[in-house]
Amino acid sequence: MTRFVHTADWQIGKPYGSVAEPGKRALLQEARIQAIERLGEVAAEADAAFIVVAGDLFDSATVPSATVSKTLAAIGALARPVYVIPGNHDHGGAGGIWGQAYFQREHDALAPNLHVLLEAEPVVLDTAVLLPCPLLRRHASDDPAAWLARLEGHWEGFGDLPRIVLAHGSVQDFTGAVSDEEEDLYTSVPNRLHLERMPMADIDYIALGDWHGTLQVGPKAWYAGAHEQDRFPRGPEYTSGQCLVVTAERGAPPGVRAAVTGAVRWHQLSHEFVGEDPVSAFKQAMAQLLGGRVERDLLELRLSGALGFADHDRLQDELSVWTNRLIRLKLKDTTTYAPTADEIDALANRAEDPLIAQVAQALLAEGAGEGREADVARHALRELHRLAG
């Protein structure tokens, strides 16, 4: 029996192009390196023999040299072996990061415990056999795990050591599940892994990478998900920002438990403005979700309903606060203008300024309808209210 930590998709150096401010992008990038220390804490607490990274340790072959050094220093501090296979972002072919002279020098100096598995061949350890399926190019048309068929008739040579497959790719079509946080928008499914073709009786655990949420896809097959969440949830069951602690034994089902490693939180909130004092209700919902944290959260916010002119101004002030506090506010605002009776009276019954009153009455009539012209009329009425003071 052996216990190890399964992780994947660190994507160190991820650019986070959807985050506007450079300083906030840097926070997210640094969080991915800091999460390596928490992985080490999980591994130490579990007394794990080693850590496996199932692809995409780096985001690309052009990660800044300083980032490479910081990452390798963090790995070197883990005090146990780390085995990594190349994924689609950090493939093992020509021009990849693993063959670069700077990486190799810093690897030797800072992280001699890191073992990059570039060959599809068994790696026999004292406590397990690793069966790596490295990607040697970004998009492979063949099953990266097809080589396992060559081991037929040779499995007995591994004795009673548990056999662990490391692979990076898709086991089903995830096309259409991507968001604007995903760099890879596929029109087909590259790096397809066919679990049904694997010699399951001869394998004890399949450590997968590529899908950034924790997901079990077979009795012995798991995606660990990214160690630090990097996108808004794909659905209510989507969980990221963790690793898996795995207990494997030859011929027995694996034991798997998740452990949290992420620090940055990605939220989704839908809020409809209704009732009295609707902006205060929104402020309360935001405070309940985010508390007093600053630059530790990202929020995908959907707003709907209707607000009067003054409440709309209050909302804009509130959104400005959260834009500053959050690392990113991704906003979809479909709220409409619904002036209060007092706001309507202040415009339409303006005896001291009959021209404004006449324009307001016309805009009110036009804005009562539906469609684009009505929307324009409501916005024009809002501007008229602002200018009329």
Side-chain angles (χ1 to χ4, degrees), residues 67-349:
T67 300
V68 171
S69 297
K70 290 175 69 173
T71 302
L72 292 174
I75 293 172
L78 294 177
R80 66 199 69 240
V82 178
Y83 298 92
V84 59
I85 61 168
N88 59 305
H89 279 259
D90 57 4
H91 65 81
I97 194 167
W98 312 110
Q100 294 175 10
Y102 185 83
F103 169 82
Q104 293 176 345
R105 288 197 304 270
E106 290 293 80
H107 168 262
D108 294 344
L110 299 174
N113 60 322
L114 175 64
H115 306 273
V116 183
L117 308 181
L118 296 173
E119 302 293 333
E121 58 184 26
V123 177
V124 181
L125 310 178
D126 292 339
T127 57
V129 177
L130 303 184
L131 303 168
C133 305
L135 291 180
L136 301 184
R137 55 186 181 275
R138 186 169 175 82
H139 292 165
S141 57
D142 299 330
D143 184 348
W147 76 273
L148 296 173
R150 302 201 308 263
L151 295 175
E152 184 176 0
H154 299 281
W155 294 102
E156 293 78 6
F158 302 139
D160 292 331
L161 294 174
R163 303 149 186 181
I164 301 161
V165 174
L166 280 67
H168 190 91
S170 300
V171 298
Q172 66 186 63
D173 186 352
F174 292 129
T175 302
V178 295
S179 73
D180 69 342
E181 298 300 329
E182 175 63 85
E183 282 82 20
D184 299 325
L185 300 176
Y186 300 131
T187 56
S188 60
V189 184
N191 311 323
R192 182 66 179 265
L193 298 165
H194 294 275
L195 298 184
E196 72 280 3
R197 300 177 187 174
M198 292 188 185
M200 287 297 179
D202 298 308
I203 294 170
D204 299 301
Y205 184 76
I206 303 172
L208 297 172
D210 191 41
W211 182 245
H212 289 203
T214 303
L215 183 67
Q216 184 178 10
V217 292
K220 305 175 184 179
W222 287 76
Y223 285 97
H227 70 320
E228 182 68 62
Q229 189 168 344
D230 61 355
R231 62 198 61 183
F232 293 109
R234 304 294 178 76
E237 303 301 319
Y238 183 86
T239 305
S240 187
Q242 54 189 24
C243 65
L244 298 176
V245 178
V246 182
T247 302
E249 185 175 359
R250 177 69 204 114
V256 182
R257 68 174 177 86
V260 174
T261 52
V264 177
R265 304 179 192 178
W266 296 65
H267 309 274
Q268 291 171 311
L269 177 66
S270 295
H271 184 87
E272 182 180 7
F273 293 105
V274 294
E276 296 182 7
D277 202 1
V279 177
S280 292
F282 170 70
K283 291 175 65 174
Q284 183 178 355
M286 292 288 282
Q288 183 175 355
L289 177 67
L290 299 167
R293 294 189 301 277
V294 176
E295 293 189 336
R296 301 301 298 168
D297 304 82
L298 297 88
L299 175 62
E300 186 176 55
L301 178 62
R302 297 175 180 269
L303 298 177
S304 61
L307 291 173
F309 297 144
D311 279 339
H312 190 270
D313 289 342
R314 291 176 60 202
L315 172 63
Q316 299 312 305
D317 290 342
E318 190 68 16
L319 291 176
S320 177
V321 169
W322 288 110
T323 297
N324 292 323
R325 289 190 193 178
L326 291 163
I327 296 174
R328 182 191 178 196
L329 175 61
K330 180 183 179 182
L331 178 63
K332 182 176 181 180
D333 186 0
T334 61
T335 58
T336 58
Y337 293 114
T340 65
D342 288 342
E343 290 169 338
I344 291 174
D345 185 66
L347 287 175
N349 299 316

